[in-house]
Amino acid sequence: MASRRLATTLHLLFCLADAKQMNQLLRREPSTVTEITPASITAKVATDISFTGGTNGDKVQFALDCKQLSSSGWFTIAKGKAKITLDDEAEQLKLCYQAAGKADAVEEQNGISLAVVASTSGGIVTAISPTQIVQGEAVTITLTGAAADSKAIFIPAKDDCKNAIPKVSLDLKSRGLFTVNGAGGSYKLCYQAPGGSDSVEQKPAAGAIALKVEQVLTTNEDQITVISPTAIVSNVPTVIEMTGAKEGDKVKVVNPESSSCEQEAPPDKDVGTGRASITVSGAGVYVLCYTAKGAADSVQQRGITLTVKAAGAAQNMLGRWSSKNGNLDCANLAQVPYCGSAGIAACDQSYSIQSGIGYRCFWNKAKWPPLCDVDMNTEDRGVICQSNSCGGAPSMCW
């Protein structure tokens, strides 16, 4: 009987211990940081890591055990990021988090880990094919010896790979789609092994890798295939989307009844983001004059016209602007000529007025290279133009 009571007592104690542990787990607060980018870096290379959910001024440290930390191993978050340098390779380091002003409170962030990989070798890629491309054209290049999911970039031979960021991911066959928009000449290859954050010039035993880029000296009359919109209002700044535009190209609109692309001054409006804000004085049907980067000509784009109408809008011009439904407070936003003109730091706090209605800008990572963009076909990005709130004074909103 005594042994049965002892067994029952021990069983109750174990149950109480389990219940206490369960309550502690239930009371555990969720992790502050929900994601880090990147989740793998190169040893001994200072790398910017973004901490989703992190607060400016808080400190972070990566370690095998958050109960055994180095007093000198802390990094401070600023603008959602911290520049991290770790000397030793590791497969899975825990993220230890310390809120500002709470030196004694360190919390391990659940589900967050960081890998630290070895430095990239300078002799991984032994050859490239092809070895010559045309400026501005997207070409699939095979990098012999490159690993899948590694990254690479071609930069002018005079530049340093340490200042470059490899961006093109390579597939299982060591191939990547590269576009060189810089001036013609010789380019070197900067390479980053999978999971790394460094950038190392490839110098195999046979000699340094070199890519010859042929300079584009003339402009194709079919460079721009489509523009949108094709009709605008006189004296109203309007962003024109141009399919086929490339970084460094220039554009200008001309009324063919009074001049031509050859007679006018060279195009001076940058269309590197695939769009440009155009303002035209005077009604009529205009043509598009275009100059490719590196060229000295001004070529009328075949089949492309822009109709400019007097102030006021016809029904067929309203399209997506027929109903504004403004619902966004612009008090804390800054107006820009067009979203493409805003940099990454100011993009999400900017808006532009286009054909009488305002749209909030957003940083579009789905495009390459990423840019400050605007979605004019949906209200998901925040349609602006509320009464007395946007568009300046007097309001540019219709």
Side-chain angles (χ1 to χ4, degrees), residues 11-306:
H11 178 73
L12 289 173
L13 288 174
F14 280 121
C15 289
L16 288 172
D18 289 344
K20 183 178 180 181
Q21 185 176 19
M22 182 61 70
N23 287 333
Q24 289 176 341
L25 290 173
L26 292 174
R27 288 197 303 269
R28 180 182 295 172
E29 295 182 359
S31 295
T32 300
V33 177
T34 57
E35 182 182 13
I36 60 171
T37 306
S40 180
I41 65 174
T42 300
K44 297 182 175 65
V45 174
T47 306
D48 282 325
I49 297 182
S50 298
F51 295 85
T52 303
T55 302
N56 292 343
D58 291 354
K59 295 182 179 181
V60 294
Q61 184 170 164
F62 289 96
L64 293 173
D65 188 345
C66 287
K67 294 181 180 179
Q68 298 179 7
L69 300 177
S70 168
S71 59
S72 60
W74 292 103
F75 300 90
T76 302
I77 295 178
K79 296 183 179 180
K81 297 181 178 181
K83 188 175 289 292
I84 306 294
T85 303
L86 298 175
D87 293 335
D88 300 321
E89 298 173 38
E91 293 185 358
Q92 196 172 33
L93 295 178
K94 298 176 180 179
L95 173 57
C96 312
Y97 199 88
Q98 183 182 91
K102 297 182 179 180
D104 296 330
V106 177
E107 296 180 355
E108 178 186 331
Q109 302 300 286
N110 300 322
I112 305 294
S113 64
L114 178 72
V116 183
V117 301
S119 300
T120 301
S121 168
I124 296 176
V125 179
T126 58
I128 61 172
S129 179
T131 59
Q132 181 171 335
I133 64 174
V134 176
Q135 175 197 49
E137 291 187 2
V139 179
T140 297
I141 300 179
T142 300
L143 310 184
T144 303
D149 296 326
S150 59
K151 295 181 180 180
I153 189 173
F154 288 96
I155 66 172
K158 63 180 178 60
D159 294 344
D160 193 334
C161 280
K162 291 181 179 179
N163 300 322
I165 302 177
K167 297 176 179 178
V168 177
S169 295
L170 305 180
D171 62 16
L172 293 172
K173 295 184 178 180
S174 305
R175 302 173 303 183
L177 185 64
F178 293 87
T179 303
V180 177
N181 291 311
S186 180
Y187 282 69
K188 66 174 63 171
L189 175 62
C190 305
Y191 180 79
Q192 182 184 97
S197 57
D198 53 2
S199 179
V200 179
E201 181 182 354
Q202 294 302 285
K203 296 180 178 180
I209 301 294
L211 175 70
K212 184 179 179 181
V213 178
E214 181 182 345
Q215 179 81 34
V216 175
L217 299 177
T218 60
T219 303
N220 190 329
E221 64 179 1
D222 295 317
Q223 179 77 36
I224 301 301
T225 56
V226 178
I227 65 172
S228 177
T230 57
I232 65 175
V233 177
S234 175
N235 293 315
V236 175
T238 306
V239 173
I240 308 294
E241 301 274 348
M242 301 181 189
T243 302
K246 297 180 180 179
E247 183 181 346
D249 293 355
K250 306 287 184 180
V251 70
K252 189 174 190 176
V253 294
V254 170
N255 190 332
E257 293 184 2
S258 57
S259 187
S260 68
C261 292
E262 292 78 12
Q263 294 172 327
E264 287 286 322
D268 57 359
K269 182 74 70 172
D270 183 28
V271 289
T273 60
R275 59 183 62 79
S277 179
I278 303 294
T279 304
V280 182
S281 298
V285 178
Y286 287 70
V287 297
L288 197 68
C289 305
Y290 203 82
T291 300
K293 182 177 181 179
D297 51 14
S298 178
V299 178
Q300 180 178 330
Q301 297 300 286
R302 182 164 52 190
I304 303 296
T305 59
L306 178 67

Side-chain angles (χ1 to χ4, degrees), residues 1-14:
M1 182 65 71
S3 59
R4 180 180 298 177
R5 283 199 296 269
L6 177 60
T8 302
T9 301
L10 290 174
H11 178 73
L12 289 173
L13 288 174
F14 280 121

